Amino acid sequence: GQLMPSGEMISLRPHTRFAAFPRHRHNYVEMMYMVAGETRHLINDREQVTLHAGELLMMNQRATHAIERAEEAGQVGWIPAAGGFAIGVAFLMVLHQLLPHLHPGESKPEGLPSKWDRPTLLFTAVTLHNIPEGMSVGLLFAMAAQNGGDPAMFGMAVALAIGIGIQNVPEGAAVALPMLQEGMSAPKAFALGALSGLAEPVFGILVVLFAGLISPYMPWMLAFSAGAMMYVVVEELIPEAHLGEHSNAGTLGVMAGFLVMMILDVALG
């Protein structure tokens, strides 16, 4: 269960209504005040309560409690998930079309024509893909902060950050090794390989800094990040989707199928 720290009598913790809170139990009396909107609560696994703006909910010790993610009045539940996902995919597609870059293992660069050399194009490709990864980590940390530093959510954010950090090692090597082959010194190649991951902490920190402003749009932001990450995964890890060349047809097909199934899952419950 969720316990009050030793010696602490009163604790105030904010909780965004746009994030679900799993079933839990406290060793203290809990009072919840709804500032805006509404949320649905499940108490002791059987009693459902809808809390509206200006209302107060009080629960005794050892009561089990879960909070559903809020859906604003009149808003269809699947719209933030589907809309944010589609915008995330479109965002990465536009960057792919505009920013000159070169995928590892290929000889033909993508994006607008440029005179950049091969190492620079590889550096750009890895940096481009690190943007949604940094946003995903930042969003999880922001959600943990908005939920009063919930240990479970904070643990998930740390685990995700560690996992993405580990997979950045081969990505950095994919940038540094070609630079070594081009005659660049080892220290400089290593520095540029490490620098290619700088986009992650930058975008992660930006998301955390603006968490207060984007809180009402958190479902859209989470779906946006998921769409961008899915685009990167399909674009890079499913070579058969490109029919022998780096086209967008296969990627868009996978995205459309995933989007339809997600909408059906959310809409039909």
Side-chain angles (χ1 to χ4, degrees), residues 210-256:
F210 290 98
L213 297 177
I214 66 175
S215 179
Y217 312 103
M218 192 66 78
W220 288 83
M221 293 297 296
L222 289 169
F224 175 93
S225 180
M229 287 288 289
M230 278 291 294
Y231 179 88
V232 171
V233 169
V234 175
E235 186 82 356
E236 299 301 327
L237 301 183
I238 310 182
E240 291 80 2
H242 307 304
L243 303 177
E245 61 180 19
H246 227 83
S247 65
N248 288 322
T251 302
L252 289 177
V254 175
M255 295 295 100

Side-chain angles (χ1 to χ4, degrees), residues 191-213:
L192 289 176
L195 192 62
S196 65
L198 187 62
E200 286 187 17
V202 168
F203 278 84
I205 291 172
L206 286 175
V207 168
V208 173
L209 290 177
F210 290 98
L213 297 177

Side-chain angles (χ1 to χ4, degrees), residues 115-162:
K115 296 182 180 180
W116 294 355
D117 56 15
R118 180 181 176 85
T120 304
L121 292 169
L122 285 169
F123 176 87
T124 306
V126 174
T127 303
L128 177 65
H129 294 165
N130 282 338
I131 293 175
E133 295 175 1
M135 292 181 63
S136 300
V137 176
L139 282 169
L140 264 182
F141 276 105
M143 289 180 64
Q146 290 176 351
N147 286 279
D150 174 53
M153 195 166 290
F154 183 77
M156 288 191 296
V158 172
L160 179 63
I162 293 174

